[in-house]
Amino acid sequence: MANPFIKNIDLLDVSNMLYDRDQSFADKMDREDPLRQYKADFYFPKNQEGVEMTYLCGNSLGLQSKQTQAAIQQVSEQWKDYGVKGHFNGEHPWVPFHLGLKENMSKIVGALPSEVTLMNTLTVNLHLMLTSFFRPEGRRNKILIEQDVFPSDRYAIESHLEWHGLSIEDHLIYIPKSTHNGLVDEKIIKDFLTENGEEIALVLIGGVNYYTGQFLNIPAITQWAHEQGCIIGFDLAHAVGNVPLALHDANVDFAVWCTYKYLNAGPGSIAGAFVHERHHDDRGIPKLKGWWGHDAEIRFKMRDAFKPAPGIESWQISCQPILSLAPVKASLEMFIAADMKAIRNKSILLTGYLEFLLKELKTDRIKILTPALQAQRGCQLSIFIESADESVHHELTKAGMITDWRNPGVVRVAPAPLYNGYRDVWEFVKALKKVLQIGG
């Protein structure tokens, strides 16, 4: 499937980019930024003096766009005007509301519209996918994950192992880290699958690691897993809206993600899920049934035996929370208008600039954990600071920087292309230099 949001998306060549540490360079880049108009579409937190802070925490929670309130208000007005009739009446009836989001969502993750839906929250969707796709049999009864997988994913996996009567100690296995940089070496994944694949029922990996910001090669890892007969799924919480994805062409079995990070849909907002079309008609796949997974054509007849809806819709359980979908609708429209290629290109330039400025600092205390190769990272750079504790994070906040702290000693910085610019990056490094008392 050709996907215009993926084709040529990584062709921006920054190898000869001449960055400059002077503030005037950042201001010039901001003036010439093709996405500069989007910053005005977001609300920024303010400090006690009412001054807007520099927000570099989209990897944890995206900012609220100014279209969000109008989108929620439209649903609220429809509820006020129609009551229960709003399910089938009004400008955007609620029963098919989520169907109108599938096209835009599918473009951002590189899928067919029939392969994606918005439902539940991320870990709930992961539980649903594990119910369907973790089917231990014989020697093939293990699950392979990263050592630094996001904790909620590990908890979900552990519960499914226990559900099947399998011990966590014997059936949950980890991809070894590279010994020299603490990242995941993709060659290690390939070799590990080749040596152990016949015992692995399912592989679950974060597309972008939450701690290091490493962006893994999803198509290659999927191929290696399939060559060994393994099912493979991805947690794309830190990838969707951040890096180019092509889930359909990569032949991924399933994926789950949230919408409150780079997609800016609000805290705890509704999540997304993907199931490749080759699994849609497999009636042997177990599913937790609910009436929203029932065929919509006869759903409201109420007396029929369960008939699965077509595509990924059959994995749905409950009716959609429309007030939560409204911000997603507004966000997806903004992403489509901005174009993922432009977003990715600016991300490459911003992280390159951040890396350049950090390396210009005269200190041995700072180490960038995130891979140097642009193809192996998204918006986030994880900055390890030797002998630092959370007080560094607090001092950065006092200096007007909203970033993210993860033990041990890591400040996560994620300049999001839609609302961050080069001056934001410059101001952050200036503040970090002051907090760490770096001379020069």
Side-chain angles (χ1 to χ4, degrees):
M1 179 193 69
N3 188 329
F5 287 78
I6 300 301
K7 187 178 180 182
N8 297 333
I9 204 165
D10 277 320
L11 291 187
L12 183 66
D13 183 4
V14 295
S15 59
N16 296 317
M17 182 68 187
L18 296 177
Y19 291 114
D20 192 303
R21 61 180 179 178
D22 192 81
Q23 176 189 318
S24 61
F25 173 83
D27 293 339
K28 175 180 179 292
M29 292 295 288
D30 280 336
R31 288 194 301 271
E32 298 175 357
D33 175 17
L35 298 179
R36 62 189 179 278
Q37 72 272 22
Y38 287 99
K39 187 168 188 174
D41 289 334
F42 290 88
Y43 295 104
F44 287 81
K46 298 177 180 179
N47 63 17
Q48 293 181 342
E49 287 73 42
V51 178
E52 286 187 353
M53 302 182 73
T54 300
Y55 195 86
L56 296 164
C57 206
N59 57 304
S60 188
L61 178 66
L63 290 178
Q64 181 185 139
S65 80
K66 294 178 180 178
Q67 285 73 42
T68 297
Q69 293 182 18
I72 295 173
Q73 185 64 27
Q74 190 277 326
V75 173
S76 180
E77 290 292 322
Q78 189 166 325
W79 180 17
K80 182 183 73 174
D81 294 341
Y82 290 93
V84 69
K85 293 184 178 180
H87 283 92
F88 297 98
N89 295 278
E91 184 178 357
H92 300 290
W94 303 329
V95 167
F97 191 98
H98 74 287
L99 299 176
L101 281 60
K102 288 164 70 72
E103 180 74 27
N104 286 346
M105 189 76 259
S106 68
K107 290 176 180 177
I108 291 174
V109 300
L112 303 176
S114 62
E115 294 175 321
V116 301
T117 195
L118 290 149
M119 61 182 185
N120 312 308
T121 49
L122 188 152
T123 305
V124 173
N125 287 343
L126 179 56
H127 277 295
L128 295 176
M129 295 299 111
L130 290 171
T131 298
S132 292
F133 292 105
F134 178 52
R135 289 175 281 172
E137 185 176 356
R139 291 188 63 201
R140 194 178 290 276
N141 55 23
K142 294 180 171 62
I143 298 179
L144 176 67
I145 63 173
E146 308 155 78
Q147 286 185 339
D148 258 343
V149 69
F150 193 77
S152 187
D153 290 3
R154 188 176 74 252
Y155 304 153
I157 287 168
E158 289 176 355
S159 68
H160 280 264
L161 288 170
E162 292 170 338
W163 183 265
H164 285 279
L166 301 171
S167 71
I168 296 169
E169 294 76 12
D170 294 333
H171 296 87
L172 180 56
I173 53 179
Y174 296 92
I175 300 166
K177 286 184 182 179
S178 172
T179 55
H180 75 279
N181 60 13
L183 298 171
V184 175
D185 186 332
E186 290 168 355
K187 184 179 184 301
I188 291 177
I189 298 178
K190 182 179 182 180
D191 292 344
F192 193 87
L193 283 167
T194 300
E195 294 170 9
N196 304 281
E198 63 182 16
E199 297 182 349
I200 298 171
L202 185 140
V203 180
L204 180 70
I205 294 178
V208 173
N209 183 269
Y210 82 99
Y211 181 72
T212 65
Q214 181 181 7
F215 176 28
L216 291 169
N217 189 332
I218 292 173
I221 296 170
T222 299
Q223 179 181 337
W224 300 333
H226 285 166
E227 287 173 350
Q228 303 305 319
C230 309
I231 290 286
I232 184 164
F234 290 88
D235 178 345
L236 302 176
H238 290 264
V240 172
N242 177 15
V243 294
L245 297 166
L247 299 182
H248 177 89
D249 286 350
N251 215 22
V252 171
D253 291 297
F254 70 87
V256 292
W257 59 90
C258 59
T259 60
Y260 55 79
K261 299 182 189 296
Y262 296 104
L263 290 185
N264 312 310
S269 59
I270 194 165
F274 162 90
V275 175
H276 199 280
E277 66 173 347
R278 70 179 178 279
H279 296 299
H280 291 178
D281 296 326
D282 185 348
R283 297 301 175 90
I285 294 178
K287 299 174 186 175
L288 297 180
K289 299 176 182 178
W291 85 312
W292 226 249
H294 189 67
D295 188 345
E297 296 296 322
I298 56 174
R299 179 183 294 147
F300 288 93
K301 290 185 178 181
M302 312 296 282
R303 300 293 183 271
D304 297 282
F306 184 80
K307 180 182 178 183
I312 195 176
E313 303 295 303
S314 64
W315 271 269
Q316 296 177 151
I317 295 177
S318 300
C319 56
Q320 297 284 3
I322 306 302
L323 287 167
S324 292
L325 280 172
V328 180
K329 180 177 184 296
S331 176
L332 292 178
E333 289 170 353
M334 184 183 293
F335 269 80
I336 297 303
D339 187 285
M340 275 301 296
K341 180 176 181 178
I343 290 171
R344 174 61 170 168
N345 284 344
K346 182 178 175 181
S347 176
I348 288 172
L349 288 170
L350 279 174
T351 54
Y353 184 46
L354 175 57
E355 180 182 33
F356 166 80
L357 291 177
L358 289 170
K359 289 182 175 179
E360 286 288 296
L361 297 178
K362 308 301 182 185
T363 180
D364 294 328
R365 293 185 63 193
I366 290 176
K367 176 185 177 184
I368 301 173
L369 300 184
T370 312
L373 287 176
Q374 294 289 354
Q376 294 180 2
R377 69 188 189 199
C379 299
Q380 174 185 325
L381 290 191
S382 295
I383 305 165
F384 176 76
I385 303 172
E386 186 72 37
S387 304
D389 57 29
E390 201 165 351
S391 64
V392 170
H393 173 64
H394 296 319
E395 290 301 314
L396 284 170
T397 303
K398 290 179 184 178
M401 303 293 122
I402 298 181
T403 57
D404 185 78
W405 177 266
R406 284 291 180 269
N407 288 317
V410 169
V411 176
R412 299 190 303 174
V413 181
L418 282 181
Y419 54 75
N420 285 128
Y422 300 86
R423 181 66 179 272
D424 295 329
V425 170
W426 188 89
E427 293 288 353
F428 165 76
V429 176
K430 177 185 176 183
L432 181 65
K433 180 179 178 180
K434 184 176 180 180
V435 168
L436 297 181
Q437 299 179 342
I438 299 171

